[in-house]
Amino acid sequence: MKLRWGALTLAGVLALAACGAESGAPSAAAGGEGAGGDGGSLVWAVETQPITFNPHQWGQNKARLLVHNQFDALIARGKNGEFLPWLATSWKVSKDGLTYTFELRDDVTFHDGEKFDAASVKANLDQLVSPGYNAAVSAIQLRNFDKAEATAPHTLKVTLKAPDGLFLDFLSSPYAGQISPKSLKSAKDLKAGGVDVVGTGPFILDRFTPGQEVHYKRNPNYNWPPTGAAHQGPAHLADITYRFLPEAAVRVGALTSGQVQVIEGVPATEIALIKSDPELKLETSLNSGSAFSYYFNTSRPPFDDKRVREAFRDAVDVDAVLNSVYQGTAKRAWSVIGQGSPQFYDPSLEKTFGNNPARANQLLDEAGWKERDAEGFRVKDGKRLTVRTVNAAPFVRDRRDILAQAFQAAVKQSAGIDFQVKIVDQGTAQKAIDDNEYEIFENSRGDTDAGAALNLILPGGAAINRTKFQSDELDKLLTDASVTADLAERKELYAKAQKTVVTDEAILLPLYVPADQIAYGAGVTGITFEPVSGTPNSAYDVRIGT
Amino acid sequence: MSTLTLTRRRGLAAAGWLGPVVRRLGAGVAVLWAAATAAYLALLFAPGDTVDVLVGDGLDTPERRAQIVAEWGLDRSPLQQYGDYLLRLLQGDLGRSYILQRDVGEILASQIWPTIQLALTAATFGVVLALAFALTTAGRRSWLGGLVGLSELVVVSVPPFLIGILLLAVFSFTLGWFPVSGDKGLVSLVLPGLALGLPIAGVLGQVLREGLERALEEPFAVTARSRGITEWRLVARHALRHALLPAVTLTGWFTGFLLGGAIIVEAVFGRPGLGQVTVGAVTAKDLPLVMAVVLISALAYVTVSTIVDLAYLAIDPRLRRSR
């Protein structure tokens, strides 16, 4: 009897499961069809499921490649950071830097059939600054925005309250992805985005299964790619599925077994395997913005003493540590701005500091940390030379916990510094920041304009100025660089700022430049990175077969 | 047997069932309320401020903080917020997720079914395999018994995460029999179901076998054997009933195991479900979502333990009479 019940239960469960199973989904490995021509389906495994599909609410660099499938921005950016036409064909800036006049394309249609025009751009800007919608954008990127007016059906005039050299960068960012005004009004979950928040992009989001995948089909009417796209007209692929596979080993296995054709986020440990496989290709791109760095809290001991900051920096052979943790795949950083932002990076800082344990020990002696305790750590006035880094677990990625442990061992051995690594929940991490109970703050930012990252981290009282370092001179350099749109002038100002914080004051230790890795099957072409952000491009130019 | 006695017996039987059921339901509601309150208090006293959570990673200005406080009504006292929460709960409103910006009820509704499928599949694998292990090896000292015992120990000791990766490496990446991920019909449930079901089979199998072996040494087994019953019939029809009670007691444990394990298994296999939602909600301190997940877990426990209690009554008639 019991056995029969068991069998019945099994049958019941399986039947139940079958009813709930999704039908009509494309098979896992539909790639290969349509070789040589347009069409075909592609499956791309990504690491992170976006928190939102609404470009206005965007905040994860990892979601960038999805945003530009569905949404176009007003402006694109070229290889050298120059601004290129996209949905805006041209623009003029008034002499005082307060008025921007945009000429817009007149042949663009949203996925819901609405026409794209000056009124729809105005609706997007007004939405972005409306209370309770995106407080961060209205407080930071659009703080100087005054108003937008449609002076002709396809001419838009934007007035700023103060000149802002980063305004065009904002219009080229995912935040400026244009949403149909109709869906801004009617979408059920506007902030979360999804199928009912529509754009003008090359792909139409038609299915999202949280925790599993998001599916896009080709927009057959698409004919307005950004300047610099490899082709015109609709996208090559008939449809594309991004599957969320948070486990790196699973992503690699799915790729090598042909269940997906492209993966993003290749762990350092798997890079050799992928490189040795003739059927696979691997591409790496440095991200723009600020390098991953250890920022020193200068407001409390021991890092209120510049000698100790320099000593911590000189105590370690950063290259050796990076090699052991990332097996030769990490790009050493030398400045607060990474090499992924070549327009502002200052290469003259290279090899000007670090890997000098003798000097580190001498500096610590001079600073009064002369004695050693039983465990070999330096001591002053009965207090151990301890520095703490406190990180919220959800933001620890790229094996940064392992990197910190390698550092811990290195600074203990070479200079007797007690480096404590704490990985905690978000609330505890925030409390440590609020209570000023930390000595090291770890951060990198992926802003397309490195200046935006610096504005958040370096000026006195800035949003994430966790070094608590304050200098009127530095603040002025950064403000001047933000106001002007002249690239050469900005480069010069940022070079001065970098020298101040990296070498003169040693308020941070640059470690490595974050990068994106993509691996894909040999049959896939057109995988590229956005030149300015360094993150994977949308799937517009991607195709299967040659 | 007269009709009268028969009716009386039926009435008694119904009364025997009704009492425990009503008591259990009342206790269940109390447990749900306690769980909701405990979760609320835990999150209230957890370090960090809800505003910090909503501010997120960076961009922290007083204006933004003020906006957030006003938008979510965080300026009210904790007691007021708790009262509001319970009131809304009674109306079936689970609130809105801080982070995902969607209605919690909707998020759960879209994610609960894949998790139920996974849990049921895993439970079925677990129970069927455990029965198969125990029934084939109980009371027989053989190499097969040794092998099964060792396998049970291995699957109990290895975390579902690793079992999942190993199953994928062999059956998906190498042999290509099953797809890596997603919720795509029966075939995609096999590996995640096994990853989650094998540890259950391991524990349950050990308990069942021990129970069976103890039952087989009881006097009734000797009597049955002396009647010439086959060993198989003895194990399956007589000893099993005795071995089931301790195994059923474990059901509470494995409900918890299924809920906890689903979180990991869903991430490994890229399956939709409550698991990833839960991890995100807890790490981000997404209060409304965490509370809802706690309530659902409590509800699952209450339901399962009620069923277990009733199952005791079904398995062991003596319990029915004594109530």
Side-chain angles (χ1 to χ4, degrees):
Chain A
M1 271 309 270
K2 290 288 175 252
L3 280 175
R4 204 169 338 133
W5 275 112
L8 271 177
T9 318
L10 176 64
V13 167
L14 294 182
L16 222 59
C19 299
E22 195 182 308
S23 55
S27 69
E33 76 182 73
D38 277 3
S41 305
L42 187 89
V43 185
W44 179 326
V46 294
E47 186 175 3
T48 314
Q49 174 177 319
I51 292 171
T52 165
F53 288 97
N54 177 332
H56 294 169
Q57 303 289 332
W58 169 81
Q60 298 161 288
N61 236 9
K62 288 274 188 195
R64 222 183 151 97
L65 75 167
L66 299 180
V67 171
H68 284 158
N69 276 347
Q70 201 187 355
F71 300 93
D72 297 317
L74 290 187
I75 295 174
R77 298 194 79 167
K79 282 195 175 56
N80 302 312
E82 71 276 26
F83 294 104
L84 300 171
W86 196 349
L87 293 185
T89 51
S90 66
W91 52 90
K92 276 195 214 90
V93 188
S94 67
K95 278 224 171 64
D96 59 6
L98 292 178
T99 312
Y100 287 68
T101 312
F102 297 91
E103 297 300 328
L104 306 172
R105 290 189 75 124
D106 56 7
D107 58 347
V108 176
T109 325
F110 288 101
H111 299 157
D112 58 6
E114 295 287 293
K115 283 300 242 181
F116 167 81
D117 55 18
S120 60
V121 181
K122 177 180 159 52
N124 274 266
L125 284 166
D126 289 344
Q127 179 73 45
L128 273 161
V129 294
S130 67
Y133 183 62
N134 188 333
V137 162
S138 55
I140 308 270
Q141 286 93 338
L142 285 180
R143 67 187 182 284
N144 293 320
F145 173 80
D146 181 26
K147 60 178 193 284
E149 300 154 88
T151 52
H154 292 93
T155 307
L156 183 83
K157 192 171 118 188
V158 175
T159 314
L160 301 184
K161 290 177 222 156
D164 192 334
L166 294 174
F167 184 60
L168 289 180
D169 177 61
F170 172 76
L171 292 182
S172 71
S173 72
Y175 288 124
Q178 295 297 303
I179 301 178
S180 140
K182 191 168 134 196
S183 68
L184 282 177
K185 286 202 193 74
S186 66
K188 194 155 81 34
D189 283 309
L190 179 59
K191 284 187 178 178
V195 290
D196 58 356
V197 175
V198 306
T200 61
F203 289 94
I204 299 168
L205 193 167
D206 63 352
R207 201 169 61 237
F208 168 47
T209 315
Q212 177 170 305
E213 63 187 27
V214 58
H215 179 265
Y216 296 88
K217 63 172 197 246
R218 176 165 53 196
N219 172 5
N221 304 318
Y222 192 75
N223 198 23
W224 41 87
T227 307
H231 77 288
Q232 300 291 310
H236 296 304
L237 295 170
D239 68 302
I240 180 162
T241 307
Y242 293 89
R243 199 165 284 177
F244 312 123
L245 291 179
E247 277 307 319
V250 175
R251 283 198 301 282
V252 173
L255 176 70
T256 53
S257 62
Q259 299 185 45
V260 305
Q261 287 86 57
V262 186
I263 64 171
E264 165 271 335
V266 184
T269 43
E270 305 279 2
I271 282 179
L273 172 92
I274 285 172
K275 278 186 174 162
S276 69
D277 188 335
E279 295 293 306
L280 298 177
K281 286 187 274 186
L282 178 86
E283 266 168 63
T284 300
S285 166
L286 297 180
N287 293 165
S288 62
S290 61
F292 177 71
S293 310
Y294 283 170
Y295 292 85
F296 304 131
N297 183 352
T298 63
S299 73
R300 53 174 288 142
F303 284 147
D304 54 346
D305 188 332
K306 188 175 132 191
R307 290 171 296 190
V308 182
R309 302 203 290 268
E310 288 191 357
F312 185 89
R313 203 177 68 173
D314 286 352
V316 186
D317 181 354
V318 174
D319 287 313
V321 170
L322 289 176
N323 260 330
S324 71
V325 177
Y326 298 109
Q327 304 175 7
T329 61
K331 174 83 174 172
R332 168 81 189 266
W334 286 102
S335 170
V336 59
I337 296 178
Q339 289 90 314
S341 298
Q343 58 276 49
F344 298 134
Y345 174 66
D346 178 12
S348 74
L349 294 171
E350 284 173 24
K351 302 201 166 60
T352 55
F353 57 86
N355 194 18
N356 190 348
R359 180 164 181 267
N361 280 298
Q362 190 196 334
L363 283 167
L364 290 175
D365 286 342
E366 283 171 23
W369 297 93
K370 281 184 190 153
E371 290 160 46
R372 299 258 186 166
D373 65 12
E375 289 174 64
F377 292 115
R378 285 175 179 269
V379 178
K380 180 164 104 176
D381 306 330
K383 266 197 76 185
R384 186 183 271 187
L385 179 49
T386 299
V387 296
R388 296 162 295 175
T389 175
V390 184
N391 287 296
F395 296 116
V396 176
R397 55 193 160 94
D398 276 5
R399 288 157 60 84
R400 287 171 182 180
D401 45 344
I402 313 287
L403 179 66
Q405 285 161 18
F407 251 82
Q408 185 176 45
V411 294
K412 180 188 176 185
Q413 200 195 357
S414 65
I417 300 171
D418 174 25
F419 179 27
Q420 296 185 358
V421 182
K422 297 183 176 173
I423 312 275
V424 296
D425 65 281
Q426 205 176 334
T428 307
Q430 186 60 44
K431 192 166 184 308
I433 299 285
D434 294 344
D435 298 347
N436 203 24
E437 287 293 331
Y438 66 97
E439 282 75 34
I440 286 180
F441 167 65
E442 305 178 18
N443 186 262
S444 65
R445 286 195 57 90
D447 309 71
T448 46
D449 192 302
L454 301 192
N455 284 346
L456 286 169
I457 300 176
L458 295 181
I464 49 172
N465 179 345
R466 308 251 159 99
T467 63
K468 314 257 169 108
F469 179 78
Q470 205 143 4
S471 146
D472 294 342
E473 205 182 322
L474 177 65
D475 289 2
K476 186 169 178 341
L477 286 175
L478 295 168
T479 312
D480 291 351
S482 295
V483 170
T484 176
D486 181 343
L487 270 182
E489 194 186 336
R490 292 185 71 201
K491 184 172 178 126
E492 201 186 310
L493 291 165
Y494 283 135
K496 283 184 191 157
Q498 288 171 76
K499 189 166 171 299
T500 306
V501 297
V502 178
T503 50
D504 295 353
E505 296 292 341
I507 67 166
L508 73 143
L509 169 56
L511 294 174
Y512 70 91
V513 188
D516 266 296
Q517 293 92 11
I518 300 181
Y520 51 101
V524 179
T525 53
I527 302 266
T528 50
F529 294 90
E530 284 189 50
V532 173
S533 68
T535 54
N537 241 324
S538 78
Y540 176 60
D541 286 329
V542 175
R543 63 161 83 195
I544 299 168
T546 43
Chain B
M1 197 182 291
S2 75
T3 338
L4 187 69
T5 16
L6 206 67
T7 329
R8 245 189 75 211
R9 272 203 178 177
R10 277 203 190 127
L12 267 180
W17 285 99
L18 196 65
V21 171
V22 169
R23 264 201 303 281
R24 291 297 318 189
L25 285 180
V29 172
V31 167
L32 286 179
W33 172 71
T37 309
Y40 187 84
L41 288 175
L43 285 163
L44 186 66
F45 291 114
D49 178 20
T50 311
V51 182
D52 289 334
V53 171
L54 292 164
V55 166
D57 185 21
L59 309 172
D60 188 356
T61 61
E63 299 82 45
R64 188 165 176 224
R65 284 183 168 264
Q67 271 186 359
I68 287 169
V69 166
E71 191 182 342
W72 296 94
L74 299 171
D75 44 357
R76 295 164 306 151
S77 74
L79 203 63
Q80 256 177 320
Q81 293 186 44
Y82 170 71
D84 272 10
Y85 173 73
L86 284 187
L87 268 179
R88 278 189 289 112
L89 211 57
L90 283 177
Q91 295 157 12
D93 178 5
L94 290 168
R96 212 172 149 75
S97 156
Y98 290 161
I99 307 293
L100 300 174
Q101 306 271 12
R102 287 165 58 207
D103 283 336
V104 168
E106 201 182 294
I107 296 170
L108 294 184
S110 70
Q111 295 296 294
I112 201 162
W113 179 236
T115 301
I116 291 178
Q117 281 180 310
L118 174 64
L120 286 180
T121 311
T124 310
F125 275 132
V127 170
V128 170
L129 288 175
L131 278 172
F133 290 166
L135 289 174
T136 49
T137 59
R140 300 173 196 128
R141 302 250 168 266
S142 67
W143 63 269
L144 183 68
L147 189 70
V148 167
L150 186 70
S151 322
E152 283 171 353
L153 206 63
V154 169
V155 292
V156 171
S157 324
V158 177
F161 167 78
L162 207 57
I163 299 183
I165 298 263
L166 286 174
L167 287 172
L168 275 175
V170 175
F171 295 105
S172 179
F173 303 155
T174 309
L175 297 173
W177 292 355
F178 298 99
V180 55
S181 81
D183 177 15
K184 309 220 184 266
L186 274 185
V187 79
S188 70
L189 266 171
V190 174
L191 294 184
L194 273 177
L196 198 51
L198 280 175
I200 290 176
V203 173
L204 216 53
Q206 286 173 336
V207 171
L208 269 178
R209 182 170 46 243
E210 203 186 310
L212 282 175
E213 284 175 347
R214 208 181 306 123
L216 287 175
E217 283 162 17
E218 298 273 328
F220 80 83
V222 181
T223 321
R225 280 202 192 92
S226 69
R227 287 206 314 262
I229 189 173
T230 61
E231 191 67 17
W232 171 250
R233 256 183 103 73
L234 175 65
V235 170
R237 300 217 49 175
H238 297 277
L240 189 59
R241 189 179 276 254
H242 292 256
L244 271 179
L245 271 182
V248 167
T249 310
L250 275 178
T251 316
W253 161 78
F254 88 60
T255 310
F257 181 86
L258 285 173
L259 291 172
I263 292 175
I264 294 148
V265 169
E266 281 168 5
V268 170
F269 287 88
R271 278 184 61 80
L274 286 183
Q276 298 192 41
V277 171
T278 308
V279 174
V282 172
T283 50
K285 212 183 169 193
D286 193 346
L287 211 83
L289 199 46
V290 173
M291 303 282 280
V293 171
V294 167
L295 278 179
I296 288 203
S297 313
L299 188 66
Y301 267 110
V302 168
T303 311
V304 167
S305 57
T306 306
I307 293 173
V308 167
D309 282 4
L310 299 180
Y312 282 147
L313 302 184
I315 294 169
D316 192 343
R318 288 170 300 177
L319 294 174
R320 256 174 278 170
R321 253 173 257 134
S322 64
R323 292 202 180 194

